[in-house]
Amino acid sequence: MECKITRSAAKVLLKELALDENQGLKVRVKVEFTHAGLVQYALGLDDVDENDEIVMTDKGIEVLLERTENVLDGVKIDYLYMPNEGFFITNPSKGNLGE
């Protein structure tokens, strides 16, 4: 599985991962729901589960992806400042736009 993180997203994620309360946690991307080809993704910090694949990104951040969720392979995590500040997750390799 693959996952890409933009520089702006990596900057925010590395700050969160450095907090004392987040020591030992990894970034998790999961599928909240799918409907008619649309996918809504969720992002958070979590512990490793037996169903996870740990993907090392080129930004040095480990991301947890559930092996059985095919739409997670190739996700891209971005952080946008406009129009609303926050993370934006898509999967260009699958043609899926997400939130």
Side-chain angles (χ1 to χ4, degrees):
M1 295 188 103
E2 292 185 25
C3 176
K4 294 185 180 187
I5 300 178
T6 64
R7 280 185 295 196
S8 58
K11 183 178 175 182
V12 175
L13 289 170
L14 287 170
K15 281 184 184 179
E16 284 298 313
L17 290 166
L19 296 174
D20 287 340
E21 63 265 23
N22 295 331
Q23 294 302 304
L25 298 177
K26 300 188 183 328
V27 174
R28 175 180 297 283
V29 177
K30 67 178 187 175
V31 174
E32 282 202 326
F33 71 86
T34 60
H35 178 69
L38 299 176
V39 179
Q40 182 168 356
Y41 299 100
L43 180 73
L45 301 179
D46 203 357
D47 291 310
V48 179
D49 184 274
E50 62 189 30
N51 296 320
D52 292 333
E53 182 167 332
I54 302 172
V55 178
M56 177 60 79
T57 67
D58 65 341
K59 305 296 188 282
I61 298 172
E62 293 178 318
V63 178
L64 304 175
L65 302 174
E66 189 176 333
R67 287 185 186 103
T68 59
E69 288 287 357
N70 186 21
V71 294
L72 290 175
D73 188 18
V75 292
K76 177 182 173 187
I77 304 169
D78 199 358
Y79 191 85
L80 304 176
Y81 293 92
M82 294 183 74
N84 296 317
E85 188 171 344
F87 289 99
F88 188 71
I89 303 171
T90 59
N91 191 335
S93 68
K94 306 279 190 223
N96 296 327
L97 296 178
E99 295 182 1

